[in-house]
Amino acid sequence: MRVYFVRHGQSELNASKRTQLPETPLSPQGLDQAKFVADRFIHIPIEVIISSPMKRALQTANSISTLTGSTVETNDLFIERRPPSQLLGLSHDDPTGLEIRAAMRSNFNDPDWHYSDEENYADLKSRATQALEYLAGRKEESILVVSHGNFIRTIIPTMAFGKNLTNQMGEVFINFLEISNTGITMCDYHDQTWHLQTWNDYAHLG
């Protein structure tokens, strides 16, 4: 099985550097990016597109579907990491938001700590594990998944380390792995093992 993970195009709140809401749509630039990445898949056989139901991801998935004819399915396993509700819509330099993010960083390695109603890293690892099990059980040989930056930067180290992925390691990977809007990450699954083939290919953006 081959799985292409695609981060959604730039959203309006990406552009304005605010914390995303589920219903945040693509920006005009993001709509263009979605068309560019769709062009990449015209000649790549894709049997199904599995998308996060968040609007920015679904718009990206539908753009690819329009050109490829592949069916889009939505699945909550591939949504973005859920932040504290208090952060939603706030500018990245908002003082309240900075305090919340500082508290989250300070407690990143505590699997039992939550600021409020967010997913902490332990929660995110658990969901990434469920997502990989779900993909491994699919019958298709070529799948495209449209998801989000933090989630893709979690699912890849989860492939590599499984239950041995610690919060400390996860923090390193989230900070180390850059991922662009509509960046393509290609993975293969065979003999019950995942293999990373390419990371964050965004040649379609020039």
Side-chain angles (χ1 to χ4, degrees):
M1 173 193 293
R2 173 157 289 177
V3 180
Y4 300 89
F5 293 94
V6 174
R7 185 187 177 197
H8 61 81
Q10 182 196 70
S11 72
E12 290 181 354
L13 293 190
N14 280 150
S16 61
K17 296 184 178 180
R18 294 178 178 273
T19 302
Q20 307 266 36
L21 285 77
E23 63 271 20
T24 301
L26 295 179
S27 67
Q29 181 176 339
L31 291 168
D32 286 341
Q33 291 171 341
K35 293 175 185 176
F36 296 149
V37 75
D39 285 337
R40 293 285 300 274
F41 287 98
I42 289 176
H43 302 295
I44 299 173
I46 297 296
E47 295 171 69
V48 66
I49 300 171
I50 301 171
S51 177
S52 156
M54 291 181 167
K55 187 168 184 178
R56 56 197 184 272
L58 192 52
Q59 283 181 288
T60 305
N62 286 335
S63 180
I64 299 169
S65 174
T66 297
L67 285 188
T68 64
S70 301
T71 300
V72 177
E73 299 178 9
T74 59
N75 192 307
D76 286 346
L77 285 172
F78 300 97
I79 64 172
E80 182 57 297
R81 179 183 180 183
R82 187 177 66 250
S85 296
Q86 295 88 338
L87 281 180
L88 293 174
L90 288 185
S91 170
H92 290 178
D93 58 4
D94 180 271
T96 299
L98 291 174
E99 289 181 11
I100 294 171
R101 292 179 189 279
M104 292 173 66
R105 284 194 301 272
S106 297
N107 293 279
F108 189 91
N109 295 325
D110 182 351
D112 298 317
W113 187 90
H114 292 82
Y115 179 82
S116 61
D117 57 350
E118 81 279 8
E119 282 183 301
N120 66 15
Y121 193 70
D123 299 327
L124 195 62
K125 285 190 298 180
S126 176
R127 180 155 61 85
T129 299
Q130 294 176 58
L132 290 175
E133 291 172 351
Y134 168 78
L135 290 172
R138 298 282 306 206
K139 303 302 182 184
E140 296 88 356
E141 290 299 318
S142 185
I143 297 172
L144 191 152
V145 174
V146 182
S147 188
H148 304 264
N150 283 323
F151 188 70
I152 296 172
R153 287 186 291 182
T154 302
I155 204 168
I156 297 303
T158 302
M159 285 180 185
F161 296 102
K163 294 180 180 179
N164 295 320
L165 177 64
T166 66
N167 283 28
Q168 291 91 338
M169 294 161 65
E171 187 173 24
V172 170
F173 276 104
I174 281 181
N175 291 325
F176 176 72
L177 294 174
E178 292 285 345
I179 185 163
S180 305
N181 288 115
T182 67
I184 302 168
T185 294
M186 185 176 75
C187 300
D188 288 341
Y189 180 75
H190 53 81
D191 300 324
Q192 298 185 330
T193 304
W194 288 97
H195 303 270
L196 176 65
Q197 301 294 347
T198 62
W199 169 258
N200 192 35
D201 175 2
Y202 58 95
H204 49 278
L205 299 182

